Amino acid sequence: MCGISGIVHSENIGRNLFNSIRNLEYRGYDSCGMAMLSEGELDLRKNIGGIDEVNALEQLDKMQGSIGIAHTRWATHGSVTQENAHPHLSYKREFVIVHNGIISNYQELRERLMSQGVVFESLTDTEVFVNLLEESYAEHSDLEKSFLAALQQIEGSYSIVMLSAHDPEHLYCVKKESPLLLGLGEGCNYVGSDLNAFLEYTRQAIVLDDGEYVVLGRDDYQIRKVETGEIVKKSILHIDWDVETSKKGGYSHYMLKEIFDEPQTVRQALKIPTEQISGLAEMFREASRAYLMGVGTTFYVANISQYFFSTLADRYYPALSSDEFSVVTVESGDLVLALSQSGETYDTKTALQYAKTSGAKTAAVVNVMGSAISMMVDQVIMQGSGPEICVVSTKAALAQTFIMLRVALELGRMRDYLTQDVYQKHQQDLELFPEMVQQILNEQSGFVRNIARSTSHVEHWLFLGCGVYYPVAMESALKMKEVTYQHAEGMPAGFLKHGTLSMVEPALHSLFFVPLKEQKVLHDRTLIAMEQVKTRGGTVIGIMFQGDERALAVCDQAVQLPQMSALCAPLAQMIMAQMFAYYAALDLGRNIDKPRNLAKSVTVG
Ligand code: AGP
């Protein structure tokens, strides 16, 4: 949560530092600010609002200096006010910091400092640390020593970057359970809470580990362990993400652009070497018990994967929401597979840590290189979807679903559950899917847009599906809620008659995910539910496949996809629902890429 950036250069960096937090805005957008050392004095500007709004008020991009830090905030401790925005200055104005995470013992430290006369401007835990720095410096008169002494007093999770006039050449950075990376340039260096902070300026990165701190200069950096002071040698990662991929291109929103990236994203997922996919399948085969885990969208991807494993490999692996994972007992011999776009989600990290401590094997499918989850598991598959900027996950979720399809297929082959012919046929279907995605995006977006426009006023939705289309409905309902702020409830179509049917009336709209006709059992069950809604005067919208006259006859409006394999059909419907949510939100004038109250990576519990 929240974005951190810092730059040490020999030239003026005002514009670059501003750009870097603009590139991080998806991580938090309640308020933002920058602090720079200008002619020996700390200049701090911050305010509430999105980056451009604050810039209009504070002229962040006009700030002068060659060393500085910046932050974009998603409030946790302390409401959204100018005082609570970062960076935070110490009360004598000698130190300034940006911070992500939570200092859990801040209350007692704050009380102690207040009793010694420190005056606080904000309600944040962050301001406590910056004042501890002031206190330590009075004792040690040495920045590095003071930084370490202040760190000894705090508990919790944090990444912090500090700037002080006492050392105009360096930034002091530390990481504990909250991501922090270095970017290495020519005659300049960068620090950021994720790669997007500096991807525009350099592709060479170092991922910091917990308990490491850095003194970062423009031509030098030294990484040491906080506990022992020991120097740590780190490998430099070359980031192959294309900068253009993180730009909006000609699209009005990242969400739409990222939906249109999907053919390419699936192509990338197909390029993941088979050895990696079968390596993961082998872990499932060897495990005594296995669990699929994620939270929010990735929980729904785990749910969809449950169906893939059961139909393609005759194996049932329960899907659990990361935040509820502690309900299961895991032990040596078990496997826990996590799904995470950011690789930094607190709930998922915590659940993985629990699994590791219990002796289970861990694996993950992750999008962000160098992220905590990608580094902590026994085996990782990097999905290679490129930066996903919109807070609402679309292309990353689709790619994860596709990768899980590949893993289940591989497991089915290994277990001889699928004949070679069936396996080959499924492989061909997967290879054809990128083209299919392109085709449906080109052909269907107009239809989806019209339906979304005519129904955007609808405040209550039921999203319904059977079998694998049930978690697709759940995921799609989450998309709808996130981006339109309208109520959408996902549930199994067969569940409806057990209670929710009482709500049905013309104003309540039901969106059905209708299987292919050849999926006869699922199709019949879905049709029964559609008719139940229709008979009671409800409005029925269908996402279905061409040639399904029976379903079409029940629908008030429908999107009709071309015929495709049963394997890929749920994924195609997922894409249509993403688009539906996008266009409904567009019509409602929502803040599509940055929906209210949300942030891209949820690194707090
Ligand atoms: C998806 O649209 C949401 N923004 C959210 O549910 C997200 O999927 C969840 O927070 C998990 O994030 P992760 O994939 O980065 O772990």
Side-chain angles (χ1 to χ4, degrees):
M1 211 66 69
C2 308
I4 283 182
S5 175
I7 306 181
V8 199
H9 213 300
S10 51
E11 294 160 14
N12 183 37
I13 52 151
R15 182 77 219 171
N16 288 7
L17 191 57
F18 172 72
N19 276 345
S20 75
I21 45 162
R22 190 192 243 161
N23 292 338
L24 291 179
E25 194 181 13
Y26 63 97
R27 292 181 69 97
Y29 33 88
D30 294 336
S31 54
C32 66
M34 283 176 29
M36 293 179 63
L37 201 54
S38 191
E39 294 172 1
E41 295 288 323
L42 286 177
D43 180 14
L44 168 70
R45 302 184 197 177
K46 58 182 182 176
N47 219 319
I48 56 171
I51 308 273
D52 287 328
E53 276 170 90
V54 175
N55 192 40
L57 293 168
E58 306 289 345
Q59 273 83 56
L60 299 177
D61 60 344
K62 306 275 179 333
M63 289 174 76
Q64 295 291 315
S66 56
I67 184 166
I69 56 177
H71 190 270
T72 179
R73 178 170 188 246
W74 186 81
T76 52
H77 284 61
S79 53
V80 183
T81 61
Q82 186 174 21
E83 293 73 33
N84 289 344
H86 293 226
H88 284 279
L89 269 174
S90 59
Y91 77 110
K92 287 190 191 161
R93 306 182 72 82
E94 291 179 9
F95 298 85
V96 66
I97 65 168
V98 286
H99 160 226
N100 279 355
I102 291 168
I103 297 170
S104 51
N105 60 337
Y106 82 103
Q107 279 295 10
E108 58 203 75
L109 292 168
R110 183 182 165 101
E111 276 158 30
R112 179 175 68 71
L113 289 165
M114 280 171 80
S115 71
Q116 292 164 358
V118 174
V119 180
F120 283 87
E121 285 183 5
S122 78
L123 294 171
T124 61
D125 48 341
T126 308
E127 203 184 353
V128 168
F129 184 74
V130 78
N131 282 309
L132 286 176
L133 286 168
E134 191 88 66
E135 184 188 56
S136 305
Y137 193 76
E139 188 184 338
H140 300 288
S141 305
D142 174 283
L143 262 195
E144 195 168 337
K145 274 193 190 142
S146 316
F147 191 61
L148 289 169
L151 283 175
Q152 294 308 325
Q153 299 184 58
I154 59 170
E155 292 163 13
S157 59
Y158 44 80
S159 51
I160 295 171
V161 183
M162 175 198 89
L163 170 66
S164 169
H166 293 301
D167 182 354
E169 303 284 321
H170 295 97
L171 293 176
Y172 290 71
C173 324
V174 63
K175 177 205 183 305
K176 186 184 166 213
E177 294 166 22
S178 179
L180 203 63
L181 297 95
L182 304 183
L184 308 178
E186 296 284 324
C188 54
N189 283 321
Y190 305 84
V191 58
S193 50
D194 78 48
L195 296 170
N196 285 315
F198 48 72
L199 202 59
E200 216 171 312
Y201 311 119
T202 179
R203 301 297 182 83
Q204 310 297 325
I206 291 178
V207 181
L208 296 178
D209 285 305
D210 285 343
E212 291 174 352
Y213 77 98
V214 192
V215 181
L216 182 73
R218 64 169 179 264
D219 298 310
D220 59 306
Y221 62 89
Q222 196 157 72
I223 306 174
R224 290 178 185 268
K225 289 192 176 162
V226 174
E227 282 307 316
T228 60
E230 189 190 326
I231 292 187
V232 191
K233 290 254 170 286
K234 311 279 291 186
S235 47
I236 299 175
L237 211 67
H238 180 78
I239 310 302
D240 55 13
W241 276 1
D242 172 11
V243 180
E244 282 314 302
T245 324
S246 58
K247 302 257 180 249
K248 224 189 290 181
Y251 294 92
S252 44
H253 296 95
Y254 280 110
M255 182 172 176
L256 188 63
K257 187 249 175 199
E258 287 160 5
I259 293 173
F260 275 90
D261 279 348
E262 289 182 330
Q264 182 53 20
T265 311
V266 178
R267 257 177 227 119
Q268 283 303 122
L270 264 174
K271 281 188 196 154
I272 295 168
T274 308
E275 305 79 72
Q276 279 190 40
I277 301 288
S278 50
L280 183 53
E282 187 62 48
M283 287 178 91
F284 276 99
R285 187 159 73 147
E286 284 172 0
S288 331
R289 293 179 297 189
Y291 301 96
L292 310 167
M293 182 184 68
V295 68
T297 284
T298 53
F299 171 56
Y300 295 129
V301 176
N303 273 274
I304 297 170
S305 312
Q306 240 182 12
Y307 287 84
F308 294 157
F309 282 112
S310 96
T311 51
L312 296 170
D314 192 27
R315 275 285 168 269
Y316 173 68
Y317 302 124
L320 283 130
S321 185
S322 316
D323 57 321
E324 291 293 329
F325 191 73
S326 58
V327 80
V328 293
T329 313
V330 280
E331 54 193 22
S332 159
D334 293 346
L335 169 67
V336 179
L337 173 97
L339 297 148
S340 179
Q341 188 285 128
S342 63
E344 297 291 351
T345 303
Y346 174 86
D347 291 323
T348 307
K349 263 189 340 194
T350 308
L352 276 174
Q353 201 50 60
Y354 162 67
K356 281 168 84 80
T357 316
S358 311
K361 284 233 159 73
T362 54
V365 178
V366 176
N367 192 34
V368 177
M369 280 173 283
S371 57
I373 291 175
S374 73
M375 317 276 275
M376 74 191 284
V377 292
D378 299 310
Q379 198 197 323
V380 65
I381 292 192
M382 297 308 304
Q383 57 184 92
S385 309
E388 188 180 67
I389 306 295
C390 177
V391 166
V392 178
S393 184
T394 53
K395 65 175 182 176
L398 184 81
Q400 287 165 342
T401 313
F402 189 82
I403 291 165
M404 292 312 292
L405 193 46
R406 286 191 65 194
V407 176
L409 196 56
E410 223 36 54
L411 185 64
R413 184 190 60 78
M414 281 175 183
R415 297 189 67 249
D416 288 331
Y417 183 66
L418 302 176
T419 63
Q420 194 55 26
D421 286 355
V422 172
Y423 171 80
Q424 285 304 347
K425 166 75 182 69
H426 286 333
Q427 282 292 357
Q428 280 164 13
D429 290 339
L430 294 191
E431 272 152 35
L432 292 173
F433 192 54
E435 279 311 304
M436 176 57 77
V437 176
Q438 192 65 66
Q439 183 189 338
I440 62 174
L441 287 173
N442 294 344
E443 291 176 0
Q444 302 295 327
S445 54
F447 295 108
V448 177
R449 184 178 187 148
N450 288 343
I451 301 175
R453 242 190 215 150
S454 66
T455 56
S456 65
H457 61 282
V458 175
E459 288 180 356
H460 298 283
W461 285 91
L462 296 177
F463 279 30
L464 301 150
C466 290
V468 65
Y469 298 90
Y470 154 46
V472 168
M474 303 276 285
E475 158 56 10
S476 304
L478 177 64
K479 272 321 60 117
M480 190 73 176
K481 283 180 280 199
E482 266 188 299
V483 72
T484 67
Y485 320 155
Q486 311 284 56
H487 173 232
E489 194 174 341
M491 77 174 66
F495 199 86
L496 187 64
K497 58 185 177 294
H498 297 283
T500 317
L501 200 56
S502 69
M503 292 178 68
V504 168
E505 42 101 17
L508 181 91
H509 282 42
S510 298
L511 177 68
F512 279 90
F513 294 81
V514 187
L516 290 153
K517 279 202 288 186
E518 70 195 57
Q519 298 175 297
K520 190 160 173 7
V521 177
L522 294 183
H523 186 264
D524 282 352
R525 276 168 42 201
T526 311
L527 260 288
I528 290 169
M530 289 169 83
E531 275 150 10
Q532 285 164 349
V533 171
K534 193 72 195 166
T535 314
R536 280 148 189 97
T539 306
V540 177
I541 314 289
I543 302 184
M544 63 176 69
F545 297 91
Q546 285 161 10
D548 191 345
E549 300 309 323
R550 200 177 139 207
L552 199 58
V554 192
C555 288
D556 293 279
Q557 298 193 70
V559 178
Q560 297 183 67
L561 294 166
Q563 288 296 318
M564 64 183 74
S565 69
L567 214 55
C568 296
L571 282 78
Q573 294 207 344
M574 234 171 116
I575 300 171
M576 291 299 99
Q578 292 170 350
M579 209 167 227
F580 183 61
Y582 170 79
Y583 283 124
L586 187 70
D587 210 47
L588 291 165
R590 301 298 190 229
N591 191 359
I592 293 184
D593 288 331
K594 289 170 276 165
R596 69 182 179 203
N597 306 337
L598 301 182
K600 184 71 178 162
S601 33
V602 185
T603 55
V604 289

